[in-house]
Amino acid sequence: MKEVVQLSEGWSLTHEGESLPAHVPGCVHTDLLAAGLIPDPFLGQNEREVDWVGRRAWTYGRDLGAADTAQEGHERTDLVFDGLDTAAVITLDGRELGRTRNMHRRYRFDVTGRHGRLHVEFTSAYDEAEFVRLLTGDRPNVYPEPFQYIRKMACSFGWDWGPTLVTAGIWRPVRLERWSTARLAQVRPLVTVTDDAGTVEVHVDVERTEQGEGRPLEVRASVAGAQVRTVVEGDSAVLTLRVPTPELWWPRGYGAQPLYDLDVSLVDTGTDRPLDSWQRRTGFRNVELDRSADEHGTGFTLVVNGVRIFARGVNWIPDDVFPSRVTPERYRTRLRQTAEAGADLVRIWGGGIYEDDAFYDACDELGLLVWQDFLFACAAYPEEQPLRGEVEAEARDNVVRLMPHPSLVLWNGNNENLWGFRDWDWEGSLAGDSWGAGYYLGLLPRIVAELDPTRPYAAGSPWSGSWDHHPNDPAHGTHHSWEVWNRRDYAEYRDTVPRFVAEFGWQAPPALATLRRALPGERLAPDSPGMLHHQKADDGNGKLNRGVERHFVLPEGDFDRWHYLAQVVQARAVAAGIEHWRSHWPVCAGTVVWQINDCWPVSSWSAIDGDGRLKPLYHELRRVYADRLLTLQPSAAGPVLAVINQSAEPWHTTLTVRRMHTDGTVMAERTLDVTVAARTVHRQSVDADLAPDAASAKEFLVADAGSLRAVHFPLRDKEFAYPAPDYDVSVTSAPGAVGGNVEVVVTAHTLVRDLLLQTDRLGPDAVCDTGLRTLLPGERARLRIRGAVETGANAVRAALFCVEPA
Ligand code: BMA
């Protein structure tokens, strides 16, 4: 039987002629940090101090003993790297084993009978990229860094939310695999479901040793009680498993996530000895992408097990700029947060990585649909060697690695490159040079069709489906809505109904506790040096400020208020987009918020900040992504009430719609009985006598259905005559609660708009179950807090914010 020996111990890193202990998996920056040789690049402006690290060559070494690779007991020993970052020469006892230039591939070297000092010598990624640039010629991109000339996580070169920390290292596990006769080289399960049965077609490739040539082999496979075996003729075999009535796997909110063990083993039938085995958990489900043309243009609707889905999505970036630090537990925490935000789809963005299996395992369990980009983002990519071969190898490797996961529903060719070619002045400077079209429209769809034909492929995001329409045409396929954040007011999300919004978002600073940790000793101001350093977007603060200023008077010299307002505007902006687009289902079939997470502490579009703290946007996502949503949509003809029911049950509800005065007077009221069929949207205009009078500056509209509330203010906050907010606060320990778990009750005596408890002010790990809340005079909010250090009424009061009169 194949034997596996992990090589995580005993590594060292050479620095200035000295040897440091090295962590494998890991990277140079984290090893230097552990050795106290560099400051933490996440703090202050230390990022600049460590620039030199990415410009040097680095060598990792370890001894490989004679016994590790000896031929006694096994005919072959392979040295297997799951990930090398990036350009390296690997030597054993001074002899070259091979060279690598791709972070996104696995590598295997035959080291049978060889031993001595193992070295992995990394060239600077900059040197490798510049070398390739010389071979292929220069191409346009969005940042002044050479990320498209090397198959390495693009955002490690810096992004509009990420630091430039170009690392190197053995970033995924490395091991010896010792085997005889034959091994399972590749297993590809194709899972399909028909009316009465699930089918798993298992495609197996074997590799034989010299001694194993011609030996009789058998592959056996089993899943959900079904078993098959077959003789291997040559080096491959196909087995078909039929499971009569499998329980179907569903995205969360649509059903359960049953997972079945799929076991494959390889046996030497001459001796009846098992040689190798492979296990994964898989699930039974069908997925289609409906891109048919209709009277609105060209749709983009995911259909899972025959059910058409409005995708409640989020975009995912690497959770740490040093991805080797992301443990399975951290993946699970972040993805659990994602699911609890109400999302049912995660798009892995093309400037990052093909994530660890732990990511997809968690998605399989949580019922999160995964949309995986191939790793191309915001640049023209040369299609010449040595890149072309790497792209093909990497795509083949990762398609096969990830295809057992039922959560994976879509392969996507790239992020914004088809759009960039058309709109970002690339066409002229390219002057006919290759730029990646051959990958997205040729190579990648061919690889998916060959290896993973059960899954849909999209050429890019955004993409209208062909060059007949502009790549970012909202009426056709996927759309990225960035004009609004870049230049306009968030209300303008309501001007279009794209078929699928694959990216849109709004920035806000991270939690205060995150800023304090990241910027020790800084007197915080929106434009203090550390704040500006931890803001990477082009004119990021300008856009943030203009976003606030359209609605509020920009607070001068009051950081806390600026911080609160920027977070409020982020939450309102994203909610405005989602409420509007969801209310236009099924014309619009999904929203994918940019972005759920961060890779370091930074002002960005994220809902969860770089220290894992929740921004108010996170809580707002829970509201706007819930199965049932009530919203009031402004329109030229007056407000429209939209009642959205994405659950499988019809929703009968009694709605109260009130035209209110800020002093609490109800100026008009109507009660409506509404039934919304399963997975549909009910829209109706609000009667004219209920519409608030904008001229009064004191009227607004409130709709309630059970615990759900929608509000509509006809004026921007700075034009609205808010009363000075007045409320009482009481703090009690929840019954049976441990210290630090308290309940805060806020009783409003006036209108209190967008009340927020900033829990991180009560303790660095404190969390609250509630985000922004609007209270009418006399109403109460109950906020449940966990993990507070400070629980006194004064501390709680000081952590509460709300909108104040201009
Ligand atoms: C989109 C993404 C990223 C970027 C984000 C915010 O274009 O694809 O490239 O970080 O916008 O600008």
Side-chain angles (χ1 to χ4, degrees):
M1 186 71 174
K2 186 174 83 180
E3 204 188 321
V4 176
V5 184
Q6 296 297 335
L7 298 183
S8 43
E9 307 292 321
W11 290 92
S12 61
L13 171 66
T14 314
H15 173 61
E16 309 272 353
E18 279 188 46
S19 170
L20 312 174
H23 208 268
V24 170
C27 70
V28 172
H29 284 85
T30 48
D31 286 335
L32 294 175
L33 193 57
L37 292 167
I38 56 168
D40 185 343
F42 282 15
L43 303 186
Q45 300 187 42
N46 292 344
E47 176 197 352
R48 298 186 208 279
E49 311 284 303
V50 302
D51 179 64
W52 59 273
V53 177
R55 305 201 175 258
R56 291 209 186 167
W58 295 96
T59 300
Y60 282 81
R62 178 195 201 277
D63 288 324
L64 215 52
D68 293 331
T69 57
Q71 263 183 301
E72 294 95 69
H74 283 292
E75 293 162 1
R76 260 282 284 279
T77 302
D78 292 342
L79 173 63
V80 181
F81 292 96
D82 280 342
L84 291 172
D85 177 12
T86 290
V89 179
I90 299 142
T91 59
L92 181 54
D93 195 28
R95 279 164 58 206
E96 186 174 315
L97 285 178
R99 286 169 186 250
T100 72
R101 48 159 44 107
N102 192 337
M103 177 187 185
H104 309 302
R105 284 176 68 179
R106 296 174 285 188
Y107 290 94
R108 174 180 291 269
F109 303 103
D110 182 352
V111 292
T112 311
R114 297 172 63 173
H115 59 90
R117 190 75 186 161
L118 174 65
H119 278 135
V120 184
E121 295 167 44
F122 291 98
T123 320
S124 153
Y126 281 108
D127 291 346
E128 161 73 9
E130 292 308 339
F131 168 75
V132 172
R133 193 209 298 253
L134 283 177
L135 294 178
T136 63
D138 198 38
R139 302 284 194 288
N141 75 7
V142 293
Y143 302 114
E145 294 277 330
F147 63 84
Q148 75 266 52
Y149 307 100
I150 181 169
R151 298 308 298 155
K152 174 176 169 68
M153 179 171 102
C155 65
S156 62
F157 289 90
W159 216 260
D160 56 2
W161 34 258
T164 303
L165 291 167
V166 180
T167 198
I170 303 173
W171 77 293
R172 278 187 167 155
V174 46
R175 63 187 168 275
L176 294 175
E177 289 188 6
R178 314 196 59 222
W179 54 284
S180 299
T181 309
R183 68 176 187 95
L184 293 165
Q186 180 172 287
V187 179
R188 282 191 303 120
L190 306 185
V191 183
T192 47
V193 185
T194 53
D195 285 346
D196 51 350
T199 304
V200 186
E201 203 179 273
V202 190
H203 294 249
V204 176
D205 292 341
V206 301
E207 182 187 1
R208 296 170 187 259
T209 60
E210 251 172 62
Q211 299 89 321
E213 290 301 335
R215 279 197 72 86
L217 302 178
E218 190 176 88
V219 197
R220 300 172 186 173
S222 66
V223 70
Q227 296 185 358
V228 280
R229 51 173 69 187
T230 189
V231 169
V232 183
E233 309 279 0
D235 293 334
S236 61
V238 182
L239 302 89
T240 304
L241 289 153
R242 262 178 233 294
V243 178
T245 45
E247 271 190 75
L248 297 186
W249 185 96
W250 291 95
R252 57 186 300 283
Y254 290 79
Q257 290 78 43
L259 297 168
Y260 293 91
D261 290 324
L262 171 60
D263 292 306
V264 177
S265 59
L266 180 67
V267 176
D268 181 331
T269 32
T271 59
D272 206 35
R273 271 190 311 133
L275 300 172
D276 198 355
S277 69
W278 177 101
Q279 290 88 27
R280 295 289 184 283
R281 282 178 322 168
T282 195
F284 291 92
R285 55 111 192 91
N286 274 327
V287 58
E288 294 155 83
L289 180 60
D290 183 356
R291 283 175 279 198
S292 40
D294 56 23
E295 72 270 31
H296 307 285
T298 315
F300 191 92
T301 306
L302 282 163
V303 186
V304 180
N305 300 328
V307 177
R308 302 174 73 80
I309 286 180
F310 178 95
R312 290 167 280 189
V314 294
N315 280 282
W316 172 276
I317 63 167
D319 205 53
D320 194 315
V321 71
F322 305 125
S324 54
R325 283 204 289 216
V326 184
T327 59
E329 295 69 41
R330 179 155 153 197
Y331 273 124
R332 205 161 282 273
T333 301
R334 200 66 75 241
L335 290 162
R336 198 184 316 108
Q337 288 171 321
T338 301
E340 286 170 3
D344 53 25
L345 177 138
V346 185
R347 170 182 174 228
I348 301 177
W349 166 77
I353 55 175
Y354 304 100
E355 298 287 345
D356 191 85
D357 279 293
F359 178 101
Y360 309 87
D361 283 340
C363 292
D364 291 344
E365 289 166 25
L366 292 163
L368 289 168
L369 301 170
V370 179
W371 153 340
Q372 175 75 53
D373 280 7
F374 285 102
L375 303 184
F376 304 90
C378 302
Y381 283 80
E383 293 173 40
E384 287 74 38
Q385 296 292 20
L387 293 172
R388 189 180 185 84
E390 292 300 334
V391 166
E392 169 150 11
E394 147 200 339
R396 289 182 173 278
D397 194 359
N398 286 287
V399 168
V400 173
R401 177 168 74 88
L402 302 180
M403 62 191 281
H405 293 280
S407 54
L408 180 63
V409 291
L410 180 65
W411 292 106
N412 175 54
N414 72 83
N415 176 73
E416 298 188 342
N417 295 344
L418 298 158
W419 182 17
F421 175 73
R422 183 49 42 95
D423 265 12
W424 302 346
D425 294 329
W426 294 357
E427 260 182 284
S429 65
L430 282 166
D433 281 351
S434 68
W435 56 276
Y439 297 147
Y440 321 133
L441 299 167
L443 179 70
L444 296 172
R446 277 202 300 277
I447 289 174
V448 172
E450 176 198 326
L451 298 175
D452 189 19
T454 72
R455 279 191 181 82
Y457 171 85
S461 187
W463 181 231
S464 57
S466 77
W467 292 111
D468 293 347
H469 306 285
H470 185 279
N472 201 29
D473 186 336
H476 299 277
T478 46
H479 177 68
H480 289 193
S481 176
W482 283 114
E483 272 305 290
V484 174
W485 154 254
N486 283 325
R487 273 168 280 277
R488 309 215 179 133
D489 179 41
Y490 63 71
E492 295 180 50
Y493 284 133
R494 301 193 187 104
D495 294 349
T496 56
V497 181
R499 308 310 304 268
F500 192 104
V501 188
E503 279 185 17
F504 76 106
W506 207 273
Q507 274 204 2
L512 189 73
T514 303
L515 289 172
R516 292 231 180 281
R517 190 189 75 83
L519 306 176
E522 177 152 317
R523 251 195 82 191
L524 295 175
D527 57 354
S528 57
M531 284 298 289
L532 290 181
H533 186 76
H534 289 245
Q535 161 64 274
K536 299 294 192 186
D538 182 29
D539 189 27
N541 262 24
K543 291 174 188 173
L544 256 182
N545 285 334
R546 288 191 292 280
V548 172
E549 238 179 335
R550 288 186 196 105
H551 294 266
F552 299 94
V553 176
L554 202 60
E556 296 290 336
D558 182 348
F559 180 78
D560 288 348
R561 183 128 291 264
W562 174 84
H563 175 261
Y564 160 76
L565 290 177
Q567 290 199 333
V568 166
V569 171
Q570 179 191 38
R572 284 201 201 167
V574 172
I578 294 175
E579 291 185 6
H580 161 67
W581 290 318
R582 270 189 86 185
S583 80
H584 286 278
W585 160 257
V587 177
C588 178
T591 49
V592 190
V593 176
W594 187 269
Q595 69 212 61
I596 187 69
N597 59 337
D598 269 328
C599 67
W600 77 314
V602 66
S603 290
S604 83
W605 299 262
S606 72
I608 305 173
D609 79 17
D611 281 1
R613 296 195 176 92
L614 309 177
K615 296 186 189 174
L617 169 61
Y618 178 87
H619 294 280
E620 198 60 359
L621 286 178
R622 290 174 49 204
R623 183 177 72 82
V624 295
Y625 270 168
D627 272 352
R628 291 175 173 183
L629 172 65
L630 190 63
T631 126
L632 285 164
Q633 294 292 307
S635 85
V640 172
L641 181 70
V643 191
I644 298 163
N645 177 22
Q646 204 165 333
S647 76
E649 309 297 327
W651 179 20
H652 311 282
T653 185
T654 304
L655 282 157
T656 316
V657 184
R658 286 179 285 172
R659 175 177 163 199
M660 300 281 309
H661 190 276
T662 49
D663 65 11
T665 316
V666 178
M667 311 189 65
E669 176 169 358
R670 195 117 330 133
T671 306
L672 309 166
D673 280 316
V674 173
T675 297
V676 192
R679 313 213 204 277
T680 66
V681 176
H682 168 87
R683 291 173 68 94
Q684 81 177 66
S685 317
V686 172
D687 291 344
D689 64 309
L690 285 170
D693 176 9
S696 98
K698 290 187 174 177
E699 292 185 20
F700 58 104
L701 189 62
V702 182
D704 291 286
S707 62
L708 302 185
R709 164 167 289 174
V711 293
H712 163 63
F713 286 74
L715 293 174
R716 297 184 181 202
D717 300 73
K718 60 183 179 187
E719 295 149 2
F720 192 78
Y722 286 106
D726 181 20
Y727 52 81
D728 289 335
V729 179
S730 73
V731 185
T732 49
S733 291
V738 288
N741 294 5
V742 293
E743 195 172 276
V744 172
V745 176
V746 178
T747 310
H749 302 304
T750 58
L751 169 67
V752 177
R753 179 111 195 253
D754 285 334
L755 178 77
L756 176 71
L757 181 66
Q758 291 192 345
T759 30
D760 56 298
R761 290 172 183 267
L762 303 179
D765 301 320
V767 285
C768 183
D769 67 345
T770 310
L772 301 169
R773 275 287 289 276
T774 291
L775 301 177
L776 305 181
E779 284 188 337
R780 260 181 196 184
R782 225 172 261 285
L783 317 173
R784 286 173 198 83
I785 299 171
R786 279 187 292 116
V789 178
E790 307 256 12
T791 53
N794 287 343
V796 171
R797 227 175 205 289
L800 280 166
F801 289 79
C802 69
V803 172
E804 289 184 356

